[in-house]
Each structure stands twice: as structure tokens, then as C-alpha cells.
């Protein structure tokens, strides 16, 4: 029997896995000439590439006649992208699922919401199962009006991509509003609109903002602690030197674009804007199912949401401030022989003073202590299953 190197088999399995999830919206729509205009503008606005990078997506396509009504409004290409982004749901809805919605109505986030340009719930689509087998679609900021109805399914790959035809363009005053070119968009402005005002204020008050702005065009991932977290850390932040404050803020930026799918597949150490060679200023990305965590050796933070995801920029909200070991040191673990008093235990619950109290930190440390490597275990299981199928 011929034996293949483990590395070769791993590459083959990786290619097989990628082929399973890959889709190309341009090729799908090319099979339906009546959607050529819609297809064309997905390419012009660069939405096609963004759709193809998503693992789970639903595209609400409009035929050439429906697109004529939209083009008659003479929107800029940037506003046009917002409108078309409203027709891309970041969830899977096949034809069957449309008629199985709980309570006959549901809200779905769209790629317009993911851009960070939509305020409030303007980037959500209302999907309603109507009488007579019809399903209506309308923007949440359109006074409850359902502008379009489901016509037919063009292509479905369950839980990966669904392309559905709807009768008309979905109207949204906010999506159609004049839009600044990408180079004119301001990172701190996006944060101010999306619940990260406190972090944005810190950036604007320091030299860190310039470094963040300079990295946007080349690719930038930002992890923004929520306002309440920043406010609770204010006293400790004031005690840092000016250089320490800047390093802490830069530690929340990564000089490459990392979509959520990339974060979930690229476990391991990640350099930051604060990395300068002499000091590592890195952290480790780990994921468990849909949950992505960032481990700094001092604290473990969890990604709780996305403010904007529009390559080359993505901004995530996190539930803790990332504390680098270059600036903060974890308190030593309590001796087993000397149990801490209730009062001391309460004091140690502070995330900055005793980050080991975080269950996620303890789990990570325990796994490393016993030599557990999740990636290797998963890889071994997948390899065994695939080899079993090959030799059945």
C-alpha cells in the first residue's frame, strides 16, 4: 500500500474543506441573464468579493427591470453599494425557511448593517410570512412597509448560500443618502455611532489615532472595548505614563484585515500595532464554536459584536480591555495551604488585579498545563474520519 505524508493528506483535506464552503455569486447569477444588471453592480461596488468571503449568506436578487428603477435615482456608486448591501442578509434563508419563521416575522441583519454606516436598526430587513403563501421584505427604517415579495429561489446550498429573487428593490432613505468615499470615512466617527465613544475619545486624545488611521488602507482590525468597560478602567488608565497609554491603545489594533471567519480559522499568536520588536505586545486568538476570545496572558476578552466589516477595515466590540503583559502583571495564584478570605477573594475579582479569576483564563492555562492542544485534537479527528471514508 502506498503511504502519503501526513502533510500532503492535510493539504488535500484542507482543499476539500475549502471547496465545500466556496461559492461565487457572479457565476451563480451568470446562469440567469435576467439578473445581469444586478450581477454587474455587485462587481462594480466590490460586493461580489465580500459575498464570496462570507460562509453563510442570503442574496435577495432583483431582475433587470427592478434595477432600472434603482438606477433611475442616479445614486453615487457608494450609495448604490449601501442599497445593494441591504439586499444581502448575513444569515441563511432558503425558500422553505421563509415559511417557517417563528411568529411569521423576523429581523435579519444585512451587510449594510455590517458596514457601520447604518444607524440604529436601519441595516435590518423585516421578513414577514404573509397570507396566501407570500413572503414580504422591507427595510426596518421604512415605517413597516414591505416593498418586495419573494418570487422564486435561484440557487440554494443549505446553510452556505441562498440566492432568492424578490419582486422589487427594497427602499431605505438611509441607504440611499449621499455617502462619503471610503477614504473620507473616519474610524473614530464610526466608533462614536456604534457604542464605542469612550475608546474613540481616548484615541483622539493620544497619538495612537494617527497610527490607526495610517494603517486603514493597508488593512486594519480593531478590537474596541465597550463604553462601560472603558469607564470602569478610567482610574487605572490615568496612572499609566503617556507612552504606556499609547501602547495600550495600539495593543487593540492589528495591522491586517481579519474577518470573523478568518479569526475563527487562524487560532494562534497575533501581532498588534504596539509590536515593535523589543516588546512583543501580542495576544492569542482562540475560538470555541461561535465564540472568539483574545488571550493576553493577563486577561481573556471575548468578541461580542461587529461595528463595521468592510475590507480593508473591520472593528469588533469586546467585553474587556486587552491588558498586555508588558504593562500589567497578573497577581500570583493563591497558595492552596492558605485559603483567601471572602473579603480578599472579592478584591481579587478585579480583571486588572487578578485576571486568573476569569474561568476562560483558567481553562486555557489548565489545557496548556496538561498538554491539551485543541487544534491538534480536532485535526486528528478530522483526519481519521476522512481516511476512514477513503478506505471504506
Amino acid at each position: 500500500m502506498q503511504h502519503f505524508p501526513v502533510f500532503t493528506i492535510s493539504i488535500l483535506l484542507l482543499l476539500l474543506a475549502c471547496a465545500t464552503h466556496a461559492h461565487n455569486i457572479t457565476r451563480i447569477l451568470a446562469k440567469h441573464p435576467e439578473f445581469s444588471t444586478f450581477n454587474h453592480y455587485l462587481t462594480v461596488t466590490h460586493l461580489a468579493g465580500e459575498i464570496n468571503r462570507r460562509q453563510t449568506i442570503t442574496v435577495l436578487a432583483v431582475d433587470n427591470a427592478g434595477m432600472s428603477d434603482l438606477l433611475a435615482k442616479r445614486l453615487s456608486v457608494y450609495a448604490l453599494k449601501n442599497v445593494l448591501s441591504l439586499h444581502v442578509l448575513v444569515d441563511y434563508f432558503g425558500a422553505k425557511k421563509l415559511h417557517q419563521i417563528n411568529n411569521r416575522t423576523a429581523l435579519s441583519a444585512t451587510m449594510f448593517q455590517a458596514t457601520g454606516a447604518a444607524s440604529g436598526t436601519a441595516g435590518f430587513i423585516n421578513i414577514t410570512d404573509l397570507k396566501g403563501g407570500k413572503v414580504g421584505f422591507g427595510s426596518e427604517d421604512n415605517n413597516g412597509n414591505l416593498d418586495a415579495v419573494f418570487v422564486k429561489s435561484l440557487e440554494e446550498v443549505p446553510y452556505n448560500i441562498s440566492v432568492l429573487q424578490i419582486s422589487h428593490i427594497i427602499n431605505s432613505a438611509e441607504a440611499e443618502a449621499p455617502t462619503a468615499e471610503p477614504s473620507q470615512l473616519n474610524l473614530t466617527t464610526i466608533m462614536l455611532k456604534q457604542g464605542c465613544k469612550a475608546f474613540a475619545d481616548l484615541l483622539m486624545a493620544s497619538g495612537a489615532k494617527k497610527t490607526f488611521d495610517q494603517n486603514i488602507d493597508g488593512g486594519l482590525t480593531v478590537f474596541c472595548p465597550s463604553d462601560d468597560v472603558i469607564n470602569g478602567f478610567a482610574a487605572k488608565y490615568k496612572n499609566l505614563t503617556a507612552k504606556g497609554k499609547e501602547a495600550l491603545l495600539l495593543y487593540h489594533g492589528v495591522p491586517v484585515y481579519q474577518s470573523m471567519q478568518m479569526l475563527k480559522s487562524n487560532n494562534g499568536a497575533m501581532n498588534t500595532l504596539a509590536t515593535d520588536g523589543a516588546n512583543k505586545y501580542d495576544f492569542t486568538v482562540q475560538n470555541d464554536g461561535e465564540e472568539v476570545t483574545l488571550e493576553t496572558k493577563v486577561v481573556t476578552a471575548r468578541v461580542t459584536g461587529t461595528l463595521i466589516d468592510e475590507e480593508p477595515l473591520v472593528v469588533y466590540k469586546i467585553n474587556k480591555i486587552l491588558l498586555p503583559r508588558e504593562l500589567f502583571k497578573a497577581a500570583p495564584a493563591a497558595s492552596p495551604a492558605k485559603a483567601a478570605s471572602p473579603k480578599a477573594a472579592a478584591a481579587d475579582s478585579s480583571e486588572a488585579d487578578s485576571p486568573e479569576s476569569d474561568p476562560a483564563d483558567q481553562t486555557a492555562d489548565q489545557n496548556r498545563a496538561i498538554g491539551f492542544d485543541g487544534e491538534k485534537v480536532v485535526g486528528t479527528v478530522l483526519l481519521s474520519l476522512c481516511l476512514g471514508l477513503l478506505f471504506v
Side-chain angles (χ1 to χ4, degrees):
M1 179 184 297
Q2 184 177 5
H3 295 280
F4 295 95
V6 173
F7 177 76
T8 302
I9 295 176
S10 299
I11 292 297
L12 291 174
L13 292 176
L14 178 61
L15 292 174
L16 180 61
C18 291
T20 302
H21 297 293
H23 52 252
N24 188 307
I25 185 61
T26 303
R27 292 179 183 175
I28 292 173
L29 290 174
K31 296 183 288 187
H32 306 274
E34 65 272 28
F35 296 92
S36 60
T37 304
F38 184 84
N39 197 11
H40 170 72
Y41 281 97
L42 287 184
T43 300
V44 168
T45 59
H46 302 290
L47 271 175
E50 295 177 28
I51 290 170
N52 293 340
R53 282 191 291 272
R54 298 270 181 165
Q55 186 173 359
T56 302
I57 207 82
T58 298
V59 179
L60 305 177
V62 180
D63 63 17
N64 294 343
M67 284 296 293
S68 296
D69 294 337
L70 175 61
L71 297 178
K73 296 181 179 182
R74 299 185 180 279
L75 302 176
S76 71
V77 67
Y78 307 106
L80 189 61
K81 180 177 183 178
N82 285 342
V83 173
L84 295 181
S85 296
L86 195 64
H87 292 69
V88 184
L89 313 181
V90 291
D91 195 0
Y92 180 85
F93 283 91
K96 184 177 180 181
K97 183 178 177 180
L98 292 178
H99 298 285
Q100 296 177 336
I101 298 174
N102 291 335
N103 299 320
R104 306 181 68 86
T105 186
L107 280 180
S108 176
T110 67
M111 287 186 67
F112 179 44
Q113 183 72 22
T115 64
S119 61
T121 59
F124 287 83
I125 290 296
N126 183 342
I127 307 172
T128 302
D129 188 8
L130 305 169
K131 294 181 180 179
K134 291 185 177 181
V135 178
F137 298 84
S139 174
E140 184 66 4
D141 70 336
N142 197 26
N143 299 319
N145 295 322
L146 301 177
D147 300 314
V149 295
F150 170 67
V151 177
K152 64 182 179 182
S153 173
L154 301 179
E155 183 158 333
E156 296 180 20
V157 179
Y159 313 112
N160 185 10
I161 185 170
S162 173
V163 184
L164 309 176
Q165 180 185 0
I166 59 174
S167 60
H168 300 89
I169 285 289
I170 298 172
N171 294 305
S172 168
E174 185 153 349
E176 295 176 14
T179 305
E181 296 183 17
S183 60
Q184 296 175 305
L185 294 177
N186 188 288
L187 173 62
T188 51
T189 298
I190 294 171
M191 291 180 176
L192 290 171
K193 292 174 60 179
Q194 299 289 326
C196 274
K197 181 181 184 303
F199 189 75
D201 288 342
L202 294 181
L203 287 182
M204 290 187 287
S206 75
K209 181 181 182 300
K210 182 178 179 181
T211 303
F212 276 83
D213 290 340
Q214 290 173 340
N215 280 272
I216 291 178
D217 289 342
L220 178 65
T221 301
V222 181
F223 297 98
C224 177
S226 58
D227 287 345
D228 57 338
V229 172
I230 292 289
N231 294 334
F233 186 72
K236 291 183 174 65
Y237 182 78
K238 289 180 181 178
N239 289 332
L240 293 174
T241 64
K243 185 176 180 180
K245 291 176 181 177
E246 183 172 353
L248 177 65
L249 296 174
L250 293 176
Y251 190 59
H252 289 73
V254 174
V256 291
Y257 169 82
Q258 291 279 340
S259 68
M260 181 56 71
Q261 285 305 125
M262 295 167 78
L263 286 179
K264 290 179 179 178
S265 60
N266 293 337
N267 284 356
M270 186 173 291
N271 288 334
T272 68
L273 293 175
T275 302
D276 61 6
N279 294 305
K280 294 180 68 175
Y281 277 106
D282 60 358
F283 55 74
T284 301
V285 178
Q286 296 287 349
N287 66 73
D288 181 10
E290 293 300 308
E291 184 172 278
V292 175
T293 57
L294 313 174
E295 300 177 5
T296 77
K297 303 293 186 182
V298 179
V299 69
T300 295
R302 177 169 51 87
V303 176
T304 59
T306 304
L307 273 64
I308 180 173
D309 182 356
E310 189 171 6
E311 193 173 359
L313 174 66
V314 58
V315 182
Y316 299 107
K317 185 178 289 188
I318 55 178
N319 70 332
K320 294 182 181 180
I321 294 173
L322 299 177
L323 304 178
R325 55 185 170 180
E326 287 82 356
L327 295 177
F328 301 89
K329 292 184 178 180
S335 172
K338 297 182 180 180
S341 67
K343 185 175 182 180
D348 286 344
S349 64
S350 166
E351 67 176 35
D353 295 335
S354 182
E356 288 92 351
S357 63
D358 191 313
D361 288 329
Q362 293 179 356
T363 301
D365 292 339
Q366 290 166 359
N367 287 343
R368 283 189 289 268
I370 62 174
F372 179 81
D373 189 328
E375 291 183 10
K376 291 182 179 179
V377 172
V378 172
T380 302
V381 172
L382 289 175
L383 180 61
S384 300
L385 290 173
C386 293
L387 289 176
L389 291 173
L390 288 173
F391 293 102
V392 169

